[in-house]
Amino acid sequence: MASNPILIPILGDQLTRTLASLRGRTKNDSVILMMEVWDEATYVKHHKQKIALIFSAMRHFAAELEEAGWQVDYVKLTDSDNSGSFTGEVARAIERHDPRAVHVVEASEWRVQQAIEEWPGKFACEVEILPDDRFLCSHAEFEEWAEGRKHLTMEHFYREMRRKTGLLMLDDGKPKGGEWNLDKQNREPPKGDMDAPARPKFEPDEITREMLSLVKDKFSDHFGDLEPFEWPVTSAEAEQAADAFFAERIENFGPYQDAMVFGSDDLYHSMLSTSINCGLLDPIALCERAEQAYEDGRAPLNSVEGFIRQIIGWREYIRGFYWHFMPGLEEANDLEATRALPEFFWTGETDMRCLSDCIRSTKENAHAHHIQRLMVLGNFCLLAGIDPRAVQDWYLAVYADAYQWVELPNVSSMILYADGGALATKPYAASGNYINKMSDYCKECSYSVSKKTGDGACPFNPLYWHFMDRHRDRLSSSHRIGRIYATWDRMGDEKKQEYLSSAESFLETLEPARDGWARD
Ligand code: FAD
Ligand code: DLZ
Ligand code: SF4
């Protein structure tokens, strides 16, 4: 290399060939730095598959860059001098390469971005922090949109993103099909024989097998099954997974988005979040493919609009929301929930069939689909009043697609209403009735979903009213909830007391999780 190079650190969720820090650089004026570091692998005790996935994807990405002629300085977890942190490793790389500047793309997470922002003061060379333009909406654009709004309504943001991208838009500025949002068509309960085509599973190659051994050796006390390990770990594999989704599952994605079937973990979901979030897939390109499926007559508008809304609506909104409310969001606990997370969240050992199936899928796949995360696991945490910090740690640790920027607003704001309604206008609270309507869980559960109180009653039933009753002062002002309190008020005192004491008896049976599951 003729003169001092540019040092380009690439983090584990920045595995994108068109990353801003790589654009415009030449292969002989830059050194790429990738770092497996203990801090990242253990700030929560991530699911074993999540660590194997990130490390394997990082090593594959480094190998591809090298193959293309880039100089990559790759620090392995087990290198004897590894300092264990991004900052420590950049400092060591500066000593090795004497760069004229460090060019890094901003971190997706607050914790890491705080560390990066200290680099200019710490290092002698120039440090340039570039915006992550893999997201559609920049921080400044979100702030501009949020400015002066009483409520940050996702639907309004989503329409802006539709206009900005032109996705599913007509030339006259109207939405294709005449409506912006077809969610009402996307609430079909499961059919008797839901036989969704299986997603492609990827056989571990030599690099992945090495990572599986590493995880077995170093992270055996972390939650979750390591094998079978079937995630895509390269952009080529991730594209294959996307091809299969667009060929076989998008058609039914919309209608069955909220359906749950015992033992069926993927249904018609894309299963692409792990690849999108670490940078192997371009989210906007996926939306364009979805629109093409509609134009070609291969998928109905409700499926395509639903998919596009999840990505340019929810995913982008959640990211903007995170940066808007951090750092306070981590501490938010508007409903003053203090109960410990139950031990069964880590073991799956509960007689509640819905919860045990969602936790089984989480343990086996490092994945559960959205409605399981929201209306089974999340609903339980909300109704039982579990401490938001414990719930955050659990969701961040157990899902292979979890990074704090996307996990925290979904947990704190969407499921726990811990931010007092900044995201949702009312809590996503439901009794067993909802789960029974949208799944086949209840048929063979040892609890009875139709029984409201007492022995054998579905615990969600009394928990629902216990939640509503204990938060009445806080929630009754919402016009969307008034009807529910009217129902409660029509019940006699005796019935109300039965609900409350059933819920309390159930809550007393919950064994708190032992220390050490989520953090050392
Ligand atoms: P699909 O159902 O196929 O949806 C397509 C894509 O839309 C997803 O891949 C994802 O990129 C995006 N998407 C959908 N819903 C959301 C959402 N609410 N927020 C952001 N993006 C969304 N998603 C994560 O990527 N990481 C997380 O850590 C995460 N934690 C969650 C925690 C809770 C409590 C809840 C309720 C949801 C969470 N989600 C999270 C959102 C959603 O559950 C997952 O994105 C989805 O299950 C991933 O599976 P899929 O790729 O098959 O998604
Ligand atoms: C999730 C994760 C893990 C487990 N390990 C690493 C790592 O060792 N090196 C790395 O660069 N990234 C890792 N990641 C992803 C990072 O946590 C993620 O890129 C940042 O937190 C984003 O802010
Ligand atoms: Fe879950 Fe209640 Fe149905 Fe059992 S009866 S599966 S606990 S909702």
Side-chain angles (χ1 to χ4, degrees):
M1 208 158 282
S3 60
N4 306 54
I6 303 284
L7 183 69
I8 305 179
I10 296 187
L11 311 183
D13 62 353
Q14 298 181 339
L15 309 181
T16 308
R17 290 292 282 271
T18 53
L19 197 69
S21 52
L22 291 175
R23 288 202 306 266
R25 296 260 59 89
T26 61
K27 288 166 190 167
N28 49 19
D29 81 344
S30 321
V31 175
I32 292 165
L33 173 67
M34 296 183 67
M35 309 154 268
E36 291 170 7
V37 290
W38 199 251
D39 277 6
E40 291 308 301
T42 57
Y43 68 89
V44 285
K45 291 168 83 172
H46 308 279
H47 194 297
K48 295 186 190 80
Q49 284 184 41
K50 179 176 173 188
I51 302 179
L53 166 66
I54 304 288
F55 284 3
S56 175
M58 285 173 63
R59 289 194 184 194
H60 280 95
F61 187 72
E64 284 168 18
L65 289 173
E66 270 173 336
E67 179 111 332
W70 293 89
Q71 186 184 331
V72 182
D73 184 353
Y74 193 98
V75 181
K76 293 185 174 173
L77 190 75
T78 47
D79 286 353
S80 56
D81 295 336
N82 189 329
S83 63
S85 73
F86 285 145
T87 301
E89 285 316 291
V90 173
R92 288 198 321 123
I94 289 175
E95 279 177 25
R96 286 196 294 277
H97 302 289
D98 190 20
R100 62 182 190 278
V102 173
H103 287 186
V104 64
V105 169
E106 64 183 337
S108 64
E109 296 180 316
W110 176 269
R111 174 182 54 80
V112 179
Q113 183 63 9
Q114 293 311 294
I116 290 180
E117 281 173 13
E118 288 182 7
W119 292 358
K122 271 203 162 88
F123 303 137
C125 64
E126 185 208 328
V127 177
E128 195 174 336
I129 305 172
L130 303 159
D132 189 346
D133 53 17
R134 296 173 304 166
F135 288 93
L136 185 57
C137 181
S138 69
H139 297 314
E141 204 179 338
F142 191 88
E143 289 312 316
E144 200 180 307
W145 173 78
E147 173 89 46
R149 282 175 195 264
K150 255 170 80 191
H151 195 263
L152 303 184
T153 306
M154 198 293 289
E155 180 65 23
H156 300 156
F157 172 83
Y158 166 54
R159 292 181 188 188
E160 292 285 315
M161 294 302 110
R162 288 272 293 275
R163 290 191 189 95
K164 177 172 176 174
T165 55
L167 285 161
L168 292 181
M169 296 301 292
L170 297 169
D171 290 343
D172 62 2
K174 295 207 172 101
K176 278 190 190 167
E179 282 181 74
W180 290 95
N181 183 324
L182 302 178
D183 198 33
K184 285 201 185 76
Q185 296 175 34
N186 288 356
R187 294 174 193 160
E188 291 285 325
K191 281 193 305 216
D193 58 340
M194 291 249 292
D195 203 9
R199 75 183 145 108
K201 311 270 162 87
F202 299 91
E203 186 75 13
D205 65 1
E206 204 181 321
I207 294 181
T208 302
R209 284 200 299 276
E210 203 186 319
M211 293 306 92
L212 295 176
S213 300
L214 177 90
V215 172
K216 219 175 270 169
D217 184 31
K218 303 274 181 218
F219 303 99
S220 58
D221 63 332
H222 286 213
F223 171 77
D225 299 351
L226 180 57
E227 290 173 277
F229 180 94
E230 295 163 329
W231 292 106
V233 292
T234 62
S235 56
E237 287 180 347
E239 291 294 351
Q240 264 184 59
D243 290 348
F245 171 66
F246 290 115
E248 297 166 357
R249 301 202 304 288
I250 190 164
E251 186 182 354
N252 286 312
F253 171 84
Y256 298 112
Q257 215 177 338
D258 290 354
M260 297 176 278
V261 178
F262 183 83
S264 299
D265 300 335
D266 310 352
L267 296 175
Y268 295 100
H269 293 276
S270 71
M271 304 297 283
L272 297 176
S273 55
T274 57
S275 304
I276 302 172
N277 290 353
C278 73
L280 299 179
L281 288 176
D282 172 356
I284 305 306
L286 293 174
C287 293
E288 286 163 356
R289 290 189 70 178
E291 180 163 10
Q292 196 57 51
Y294 169 65
E295 292 299 340
D296 296 348
R298 288 182 283 115
L301 190 57
N302 58 318
S303 285
V304 167
E305 187 280 318
F307 181 77
I308 290 176
R309 173 161 26 87
Q310 300 314 313
I311 295 197
I312 65 167
W314 280 110
R315 186 172 186 271
E316 290 285 336
Y317 168 86
I318 287 283
R319 191 245 188 178
F321 188 96
Y322 172 76
W323 285 96
H324 186 74
F325 286 106
M326 279 302 276
L329 197 56
E330 269 181 319
E331 303 300 332
N333 190 0
D334 208 56
L335 298 180
E336 297 175 2
T338 54
R339 190 177 305 282
L341 189 79
E343 174 75 359
F344 71 69
F345 268 72
W346 298 104
T347 62
E349 287 165 17
T350 166
D351 291 337
M352 298 174 76
R353 196 162 180 261
C354 51
L355 280 165
S356 77
D357 192 53
C358 296
I359 296 166
R360 175 205 53 74
S361 171
T362 304
K363 186 164 166 287
E364 286 178 7
N365 311 314
H367 194 274
H369 58 79
H370 184 68
I371 211 71
Q372 297 175 314
R373 296 188 206 193
L374 179 67
M375 293 311 292
V376 178
L377 298 156
N379 186 30
F380 183 87
C381 292
L382 173 75
L383 300 186
I386 311 294
D387 180 349
R389 293 306 295 252
V391 184
Q392 288 163 27
D393 279 358
W394 187 80
Y395 276 92
L396 194 52
V398 303
Y399 292 116
D401 59 19
Y403 299 84
Q404 196 196 36
W405 69 265
V406 52
E407 165 274 325
L408 181 57
N410 273 298
V411 166
S412 174
S413 307
M414 193 180 300
I415 66 170
L416 297 181
Y417 205 70
D419 63 5
L423 182 144
T425 47
K426 69 178 184 64
Y428 283 90
S431 67
N433 212 9
Y434 175 84
I435 296 172
N436 189 34
K437 192 172 96 193
M438 296 310 297
S439 76
D440 66 354
Y441 288 141
C442 303
K443 279 188 293 199
E444 290 179 40
C445 182
S446 51
Y447 292 102
S448 161
V449 72
S450 57
K451 192 157 188 258
K452 304 295 180 202
T453 58
D455 277 355
C458 166
F460 278 106
N461 294 335
L463 283 177
Y464 175 79
W465 286 116
H466 193 272
F467 171 83
M468 285 298 169
D469 185 59
R470 73 180 186 268
H471 294 300
R472 185 167 191 150
D473 289 349
R474 178 73 194 71
L475 300 178
S476 56
S477 57
S478 160
H479 70 281
R480 297 187 63 198
I481 282 194
R483 205 172 34 85
I484 294 168
Y485 285 109
T487 306
W488 181 235
D489 289 339
R490 277 196 302 276
M491 290 183 206
D493 283 348
E494 202 180 326
K495 186 79 204 157
K496 283 183 176 170
Q497 202 42 54
E498 274 173 37
Y499 272 116
L500 298 180
S501 51
S502 282
E504 270 151 31
S505 306
F506 172 79
L507 290 169
E508 274 168 26
T509 66
L510 295 177
E511 192 192 327
R514 64 173 170 79
D515 286 344
W517 270 119
R519 292 180 193 260
D520 277 323

